[in-house]
Amino acid sequence: MKTMTLYLGAFFIAFSLNIHAQHTPDIQKKYTREITKLGKDKALKKAFTVIDEQDDETMEDLVELTEILAPPFKETERGKRFASMLEEAGIDSIWTDKAGNVLGLRKGTAGIPGYVGLEAHLDVVFPEGTDVTVKKSGDTLKAPGIGDDTRGLSMVISVLKAMNKTGIRTEKDVLFVGSVGEEGLGDLRGMKYIFNESGLNVDSWIAIDGGDLGRISYAGLGSRRYKLVISGKGGHSWGSFGLANPHHALGKVIDVFATDAQSYTSGDISKTSFNIGRIGGGTSINSIPFESWMEVDMRALDPRNLQEIEDIFKTSVEKAITAYNRSGIRDQVTYELIRIGDRPSGELSPELPLIQRALAATSFFGKTPQPGRGSTNINIPVALGIPAVCIGRGGKGGGAHSLDEWYLNENGPEAIKLALLITLAQAGLKK
């Protein structure tokens, strides 16, 4: 009940703000002053120097982690190496939770309740058997997953190293995290466990995921995903002609849903999308299939629209199957709806201290903040009303989710310094 209340609360916050992170909000002067003062601190300046000096190490960590393939649900080996890197960097304590998330705790000095999390996700979209050997072309590194999000993992390690090498202490406890299940059907399972089941008192979260330095997200693009399975008796295409055919029924579902959903999404609502991404079933061209299936992805900025497009989908399925079974065919088809993804929408106020600090820190590095919305790990804390931001990995890169993914470490340390600055601002630098 507590979780449901928090989700509804975040829904009404998003509705009342009626913004979609498309413009750059004003940065309050007090946060600009705070970040400027912090940026002049001798210990922080030393840490920035360390980040530059250890950049070759950071790139070595990036290559090593990239070459440990980590599909969703199979992140164990990469998680083990990430954990050992945290230990080598001097983390205070470390554990792997029931979901597979790797969490390292660096104790604060003030005994203030609540953790500040700095995180990148362990998993990549590529299946087992994918060649993830890193190849170099000039200064460019090429390998599946080298940017999304292995670069983020190497940045988390670099931040911890810099803090320990310079003796920086924070007032609050900081968690250094490699999370599982961010991609695809992983469905943010790592974050769902941390925020809904782990019992950890996390009061702010900084995720590293995405591209350019200056990219900041504090809003979550929600999605619902379903697999529809239609079943029948099956039979020979000639001898059993006239028997209920799951493929024919699926075609009717697609037609009804696409028509009704298109009518809805073309109306006066914030952006909402639907997509039938995969279909399958059947055994041969001359067999009436005994099973047919499709996978559907629906997304929306507004939580209400997400619920409404889901309702349209369910109604369309029921309407189409009922009509097909009454069309004069022999026997009937049955169906099962299986939810395979649920990522909540939400949006936080840009007035929150964490977001203001992220905006001010970005400006400190001479970059114009570029607010945006995506489907990332922060969807979970944002939907719960917990302050969270997602920042970019910096450098230059491209080809995310493709076999040709690449990363060029052009000014790469700047993004690491940004992550450190935001973390210290939120956790409090011990004087």
Side-chain angles (χ1 to χ4, degrees), residues 30-43:
K30 67 177 181 178
Y31 292 105
T32 298
R33 290 193 296 267
E34 175 187 306
I35 292 297
T36 300
K37 181 179 179 181
L38 185 58
K40 293 179 180 178
D41 185 271
K42 290 182 180 179

PDB file of all heavy atoms in Angstrom, residues 30-43:
ATOM      1  N   LYS A  30      21.296  30.309  -5.230  1.00  0.00           N
ATOM      2  CA  LYS A  30      21.944  29.688  -4.076  1.00  0.00           C
ATOM      3  C   LYS A  30      22.659  28.392  -4.461  1.00  0.00           C
ATOM      4  O   LYS A  30      23.691  28.043  -3.864  1.00  0.00           O
ATOM      5  CB  LYS A  30      20.949  29.449  -2.944  1.00  0.00           C
ATOM      6  CG  LYS A  30      19.878  28.417  -3.227  1.00  0.00           C
ATOM      7  CD  LYS A  30      18.996  28.227  -1.990  1.00  0.00           C
ATOM      8  CE  LYS A  30      17.914  27.174  -2.213  1.00  0.00           C
ATOM      9  NZ  LYS A  30      17.091  26.977  -0.986  1.00  0.00           N
ATOM     10  N   TYR A  31      22.136  27.687  -5.461  1.00  0.00           N
ATOM     11  CA  TYR A  31      22.792  26.456  -5.891  1.00  0.00           C
ATOM     12  C   TYR A  31      23.987  26.753  -6.787  1.00  0.00           C
ATOM     13  O   TYR A  31      24.991  26.020  -6.762  1.00  0.00           O
ATOM     14  CB  TYR A  31      21.789  25.533  -6.580  1.00  0.00           C
ATOM     15  CG  TYR A  31      20.769  24.994  -5.608  1.00  0.00           C
ATOM     16  CD1 TYR A  31      19.466  25.480  -5.590  1.00  0.00           C
ATOM     17  CD2 TYR A  31      21.125  24.031  -4.669  1.00  0.00           C
ATOM     18  CE1 TYR A  31      18.541  25.017  -4.680  1.00  0.00           C
ATOM     19  CE2 TYR A  31      20.203  23.546  -3.750  1.00  0.00           C
ATOM     20  CZ  TYR A  31      18.916  24.054  -3.763  1.00  0.00           C
ATOM     21  OH  TYR A  31      18.009  23.592  -2.840  1.00  0.00           O
ATOM     22  N   THR A  32      23.909  27.809  -7.559  1.00  0.00           N
ATOM     23  CA  THR A  32      25.075  28.230  -8.329  1.00  0.00           C
ATOM     24  C   THR A  32      26.210  28.610  -7.392  1.00  0.00           C
ATOM     25  O   THR A  32      27.376  28.230  -7.606  1.00  0.00           O
ATOM     26  CB  THR A  32      24.717  29.425  -9.228  1.00  0.00           C
ATOM     27  OG1 THR A  32      23.698  29.031 -10.161  1.00  0.00           O
ATOM     28  CG2 THR A  32      25.933  29.910 -10.003  1.00  0.00           C
ATOM     29  N   ARG A  33      25.874  29.349  -6.324  1.00  0.00           N
ATOM     30  CA  ARG A  33      26.892  29.727  -5.340  1.00  0.00           C
ATOM     31  C   ARG A  33      27.450  28.494  -4.639  1.00  0.00           C
ATOM     32  O   ARG A  33      28.669  28.396  -4.396  1.00  0.00           O
ATOM     33  CB  ARG A  33      26.302  30.706  -4.314  1.00  0.00           C
ATOM     34  CG  ARG A  33      25.990  32.091  -4.883  1.00  0.00           C
ATOM     35  CD  ARG A  33      25.718  33.084  -3.761  1.00  0.00           C
ATOM     36  NE  ARG A  33      24.529  32.742  -3.001  1.00  0.00           N
ATOM     37  CZ  ARG A  33      23.310  33.207  -3.257  1.00  0.00           C
ATOM     38  NH1 ARG A  33      23.126  34.055  -4.269  1.00  0.00           N
ATOM     39  NH2 ARG A  33      22.277  32.856  -2.510  1.00  0.00           N
ATOM     40  N   GLU A  34      26.571  27.564  -4.301  1.00  0.00           N
ATOM     41  CA  GLU A  34      27.006  26.345  -3.606  1.00  0.00           C
ATOM     42  C   GLU A  34      27.989  25.548  -4.455  1.00  0.00           C
ATOM     43  O   GLU A  34      29.047  25.115  -3.974  1.00  0.00           O
ATOM     44  CB  GLU A  34      25.787  25.479  -3.272  1.00  0.00           C
ATOM     45  CG  GLU A  34      26.125  24.132  -2.646  1.00  0.00           C
ATOM     46  CD  GLU A  34      24.907  23.245  -2.481  1.00  0.00           C
ATOM     47  OE1 GLU A  34      23.911  23.698  -1.874  1.00  0.00           O
ATOM     48  OE2 GLU A  34      24.965  22.100  -2.969  1.00  0.00           O
ATOM     49  N   ILE A  35      27.661  25.357  -5.716  1.00  0.00           N
ATOM     50  CA  ILE A  35      28.515  24.574  -6.606  1.00  0.00           C
ATOM     51  C   ILE A  35      29.828  25.313  -6.887  1.00  0.00           C
ATOM     52  O   ILE A  35      30.912  24.707  -6.918  1.00  0.00           O
ATOM     53  CB  ILE A  35      27.783  24.251  -7.917  1.00  0.00           C
ATOM     54  CG1 ILE A  35      26.612  23.278  -7.647  1.00  0.00           C
ATOM     55  CG2 ILE A  35      28.731  23.669  -8.948  1.00  0.00           C
ATOM     56  CD1 ILE A  35      27.026  21.922  -7.110  1.00  0.00           C
ATOM     57  N   THR A  36      29.744  26.620  -7.063  1.00  0.00           N
ATOM     58  CA  THR A  36      30.956  27.392  -7.308  1.00  0.00           C
ATOM     59  C   THR A  36      31.922  27.305  -6.116  1.00  0.00           C
ATOM     60  O   THR A  36      33.130  27.118  -6.282  1.00  0.00           O
ATOM     61  CB  THR A  36      30.610  28.869  -7.579  1.00  0.00           C
ATOM     62  OG1 THR A  36      29.762  28.951  -8.725  1.00  0.00           O
ATOM     63  CG2 THR A  36      31.868  29.688  -7.829  1.00  0.00           C
ATOM     64  N   LYS A  37      31.370  27.419  -4.921  1.00  0.00           N
ATOM     65  CA  LYS A  37      32.190  27.303  -3.712  1.00  0.00           C
ATOM     66  C   LYS A  37      32.806  25.917  -3.600  1.00  0.00           C
ATOM     67  O   LYS A  37      33.997  25.775  -3.282  1.00  0.00           O
ATOM     68  CB  LYS A  37      31.331  27.608  -2.481  1.00  0.00           C
ATOM     69  CG  LYS A  37      32.106  27.533  -1.167  1.00  0.00           C
ATOM     70  CD  LYS A  37      31.191  27.861   0.018  1.00  0.00           C
ATOM     71  CE  LYS A  37      31.950  27.753   1.333  1.00  0.00           C
ATOM     72  NZ  LYS A  37      31.075  28.048   2.504  1.00  0.00           N
ATOM     73  N   LEU A  38      32.007  24.900  -3.866  1.00  0.00           N
ATOM     74  CA  LEU A  38      32.506  23.528  -3.799  1.00  0.00           C
ATOM     75  C   LEU A  38      33.594  23.304  -4.841  1.00  0.00           C
ATOM     76  O   LEU A  38      34.600  22.629  -4.585  1.00  0.00           O
ATOM     77  CB  LEU A  38      31.347  22.548  -4.008  1.00  0.00           C
ATOM     78  CG  LEU A  38      31.633  21.049  -3.861  1.00  0.00           C
ATOM     79  CD1 LEU A  38      32.199  20.742  -2.482  1.00  0.00           C
ATOM     80  CD2 LEU A  38      30.354  20.253  -4.101  1.00  0.00           C
ATOM     81  N   GLY A  39      33.396  23.881  -6.023  1.00  0.00           N
ATOM     82  CA  GLY A  39      34.368  23.706  -7.092  1.00  0.00           C
ATOM     83  C   GLY A  39      35.716  24.326  -6.797  1.00  0.00           C
ATOM     84  O   GLY A  39      36.725  23.956  -7.401  1.00  0.00           O
ATOM     85  N   LYS A  40      35.752  25.269  -5.850  1.00  0.00           N
ATOM     86  CA  LYS A  40      37.014  25.919  -5.472  1.00  0.00           C
ATOM     87  C   LYS A  40      37.723  25.198  -4.331  1.00  0.00           C
ATOM     88  O   LYS A  40      38.843  25.558  -3.975  1.00  0.00           O
ATOM     89  CB  LYS A  40      36.745  27.366  -5.064  1.00  0.00           C
ATOM     90  CG  LYS A  40      36.273  28.261  -6.212  1.00  0.00           C
ATOM     91  CD  LYS A  40      35.993  29.674  -5.718  1.00  0.00           C
ATOM     92  CE  LYS A  40      35.524  30.577  -6.859  1.00  0.00           C
ATOM     93  NZ  LYS A  40      35.199  31.952  -6.380  1.00  0.00           N
ATOM     94  N   ASP A  41      37.062  24.191  -3.757  1.00  0.00           N
ATOM     95  CA  ASP A  41      37.647  23.468  -2.633  1.00  0.00           C
ATOM     96  C   ASP A  41      38.936  22.765  -3.068  1.00  0.00           C
ATOM     97  O   ASP A  41      38.999  22.127  -4.132  1.00  0.00           O
ATOM     98  CB  ASP A  41      36.639  22.440  -2.102  1.00  0.00           C
ATOM     99  CG  ASP A  41      37.133  21.744  -0.856  1.00  0.00           C
ATOM    100  OD1 ASP A  41      37.813  20.707  -1.005  1.00  0.00           O
ATOM    101  OD2 ASP A  41      36.865  22.235   0.244  1.00  0.00           O
ATOM    102  N   LYS A  42      39.983  22.882  -2.254  1.00  0.00           N
ATOM    103  CA  LYS A  42      41.294  22.324  -2.600  1.00  0.00           C
ATOM    104  C   LYS A  42      41.235  20.801  -2.775  1.00  0.00           C
ATOM    105  O   LYS A  42      41.857  20.253  -3.690  1.00  0.00           O
ATOM    106  CB  LYS A  42      42.315  22.692  -1.537  1.00  0.00           C
ATOM    107  CG  LYS A  42      42.679  24.168  -1.511  1.00  0.00           C
ATOM    108  CD  LYS A  42      43.738  24.447  -0.451  1.00  0.00           C
ATOM    109  CE  LYS A  42      44.112  25.929  -0.428  1.00  0.00           C
ATOM    110  NZ  LYS A  42      45.138  26.228   0.616  1.00  0.00           N
ATOM    111  N   ALA A  43      40.491  20.141  -1.900  1.00  0.00           N
ATOM    112  CA  ALA A  43      40.407  18.679  -1.984  1.00  0.00           C
ATOM    113  C   ALA A  43      39.722  18.249  -3.272  1.00  0.00           C
ATOM    114  O   ALA A  43      40.131  17.270  -3.925  1.00  0.00           O
ATOM    115  CB  ALA A  43      39.658  18.128  -0.775  1.00  0.00           C
TER     116      ALA A  43
END
